[in-house]
Amino acid sequence: MTVMTAPNTALRAVRTGMRMSQDDFARALQAAGHRVGEPNDANKRLVQRWESGAIAAPRPVYARALEVVTGLPISLLGFDAVPESKVADDQHGGHDLTSPLSGLATPTPTPTAKAATVHRSHEGVWLSRYQYYSSGRDESFAGQHFLVVLQHGDRLTARSLPGSAASSLSLDLTVDGAVVTGTWVEQTDPTGYYRGARYHGAIQLLAEPTGRRMAGKWVGFGKDIDVNTGPWELVFQDASTSKTTLDRYNTPAT
């Protein structure tokens, strides 16, 4: 077993930033595995071994779940790439393996025909813009974030870059041709008008043939349990998800 010389502080920072305990994080990884058709046995002990540095890199089934849950490329979660000769099981001894991304090209087969479908890649950085009406202020406002979008088959996960807005935004989407459908969650600015309130709802977008813009509508509940809706668009910025690229976009979205 290869032992890291230092704890994986990057993974721990991402987890705590999501306000998840190690148990919560493990459950989220299990749920993500089921959603993408690759069940896993993530548990608190495994998360502890990752964060302590006892395991240098997760097996591909966990690497994919980590990307889905965090919305970040595995390369930004503090893990190392290790030689193929070190491949073994995370759960039994925390052994090393091949580069986490290398195994994603051949995931565990699933019985559905959709799994074999080739999809346009939507990975990269996108600018998110939406409009909403504030009944308390009787005024309309716009929300903007830079999002890092990752794709696994027909599923997209998008997470806002923390420096792009005072609130945090996440999207979980499914692509069916030009139709993109899913859910959104926003944690508002703790010091802002909504005092850190958490809002969530559904979203449906149409992707333009160029692949550089998606536009549609969101729907969600207001504070008076009324159903609100408004326009939402995603505008493509960059196909890279490298640390250098994400640092460049980790600034207020305009």
Side-chain angles (χ1 to χ4, degrees):
M1 178 180 73
T2 298
V3 179
M4 295 175 66
T5 58
N8 188 337
T9 55
L11 180 63
R12 185 178 187 279
V14 170
R15 174 182 62 79
T16 57
M18 297 173 71
R19 301 183 182 181
M20 286 186 174
S21 68
Q22 291 175 330
D23 269 328
D24 293 336
F25 195 61
R27 285 192 290 269
L29 291 172
Q30 288 190 23
H34 283 291
R35 289 202 305 274
V36 300
E38 290 186 340
N40 63 68
D41 298 317
N43 55 39
K44 179 179 178 180
R45 175 59 178 155
L46 179 59
V47 176
Q48 289 174 335
R49 290 176 66 79
W50 286 338
E51 293 186 357
S52 70
I55 298 176
R59 287 192 289 125
V61 66
Y62 292 110
R64 181 169 182 173
L66 282 162
E67 289 192 333
V68 170
V69 170
T70 65
L72 293 172
I74 198 70
S75 59
L76 298 186
L77 296 178
F79 291 111
D80 293 340
V82 296
E84 186 173 0
S85 59
K86 298 291 186 179
V87 175
D89 191 303
D90 282 354
Q91 295 281 46
H92 303 293
H95 298 43
D96 302 319
L97 57 133
T98 58
S99 170
L101 291 180
S102 65
L104 296 185
T106 55
T108 302
T110 61
T112 61
K114 271 194 172 182
T117 303
V118 176
H119 301 277
R120 173 197 294 271
S121 175
H122 297 288
E123 285 203 4
V125 178
W126 293 70
L127 173 62
S128 165
R129 298 186 182 122
Y130 64 86
Q131 293 181 340
Y132 66 97
Y133 175 75
S134 172
S135 57
R137 292 171 286 183
D138 192 24
E139 190 175 351
S140 293
F141 295 88
Q144 297 193 136
H145 302 75
F146 283 122
L147 306 178
V148 54
V149 176
L150 301 178
Q151 182 164 355
H152 296 290
D154 62 353
R155 292 183 178 273
L156 306 179
T157 57
R159 303 290 183 269
S160 61
L161 294 171
S164 67
S167 64
S168 62
L169 177 68
S170 63
L171 305 174
D172 288 286
L173 307 168
T174 300
V175 180
D176 185 0
V179 180
V180 182
T181 306
T183 59
W184 60 270
V185 177
E186 183 168 10
Q187 190 77 39
T188 61
D189 179 5
T191 63
Y193 179 80
Y194 293 105
R195 299 182 180 274
R198 183 175 183 270
Y199 292 94
H200 56 89
I203 181 172
Q204 190 161 59
L205 308 167
L206 287 176
E208 294 183 350
T210 62
R212 301 187 67 85
R213 181 175 178 268
M214 306 179 196
K217 295 279 189 176
W218 63 267
V219 61
F221 288 103
K223 65 179 182 179
D224 298 322
I225 316 299
D226 49 350
V227 177
N228 299 318
T229 187
W232 200 323
E233 71 169 356
L234 301 179
V235 181
F236 179 78
Q237 305 293 306
D238 199 303
S240 173
T241 57
S242 69
K243 184 178 186 303
T244 300
T245 300
L246 299 190
D247 285 346
R248 189 166 70 249
Y249 285 97
N250 196 22
T251 58
T254 57

